[in-house]
Structures are given as structure tokens and as C-alpha cells.
Amino acid sequence: MQELLRVMRTIDDRIVHELNTTIPTASFVGKIDAGQTCKELYQSLMDAHTSRERIIKNCIAQTSSVVKTLREEREKAQDDLALLKQLRKEQTKV
């Protein structure tokens, strides 16, 4: 999960480089449509953010489900320290 998020952050981490290569210098102003290029960069950023948000929300939902199940099990077996440790670990993930 963390590796996937790291890869998905690449465009954000390289935003200065992306902006520098997107906005044309004075010598290229007539050759490149800066407006269109900026729109494409913006769309790329929005797509990355939407995708990352979807993955994060999915992870939260799955982990919350595991926490709920572990809480129910914990109520039945309150003396189970391994179960308590696992529950706390999953709660930390959320």
C-alpha cells in the first residue's frame, strides 16, 4: 500500500519540474499552446489525486471492517492478549 501511494505521489513530488517543462520559455511561446499544456497537467494532477483518494478510502474501509470484527471477537474473549494486540495494530492503521 505504501509503495503504491509513493508511486502515485510522483507527479506531486515533481511538480516544480512539471511546471518548468509545461510552461514554455519566451523562445517557445508561439510553438506550444501553454493553456492546453497546463490543462493537461491539471487533469493529470486531478486524476492522480482522485485515484489516490479512492485507494486510501478503500484501505480505511477494509481496515475498519477488520477492526469491527476484532472488537466483536474481543468482547467474546476479553482475556486474549494476542487478539488485543492485533486489534490495537489494526486501529493504528486506521
Side-chain angles (χ1 to χ4, degrees):
M1 174 71 180
Q2 289 177 344
E3 180 64 21
L4 180 60
L5 289 174
R6 186 188 65 75
V7 170
M8 294 179 81
R9 275 196 326 257
T10 301
I11 192 164
D12 292 335
D13 294 343
R14 296 183 45 162
I15 193 67
V16 172
H17 173 73
E18 294 293 331
L19 287 170
N20 285 340
T21 58
T22 299
I23 300 171
T25 59
S27 61
F28 288 100
V29 169
K31 299 176 185 175
I32 296 174
D33 182 2
Q36 182 62 32
T37 308
C38 285
K39 284 180 186 177
E40 290 170 4
L41 175 60
Y42 174 79
Q43 189 59 48
S44 178
L45 283 168
M46 294 309 298
D47 291 346
H49 288 195
T50 301
S51 181
R52 193 166 56 224
E53 180 182 15
R54 188 180 68 250
I55 289 171
I56 290 169
K57 285 182 177 181
N58 186 31
C59 180
I60 291 170
Q62 287 179 0
T63 306
S64 294
S65 176
V66 170
V67 167
K68 181 181 176 185
T69 302
L70 289 172
R71 280 186 180 156
E72 291 169 358
E73 291 177 20
R74 175 80 173 130
E75 287 178 16
K76 295 174 189 172
Q78 293 185 2
D79 295 335
D80 189 344
L81 294 178
L83 186 59
L84 176 62
K85 185 176 179 179
Q86 186 179 4
L87 173 60
R88 294 229 170 111
K89 180 181 176 185
E90 293 299 318
Q91 286 173 326
T92 300
K93 283 184 192 178
V94 174

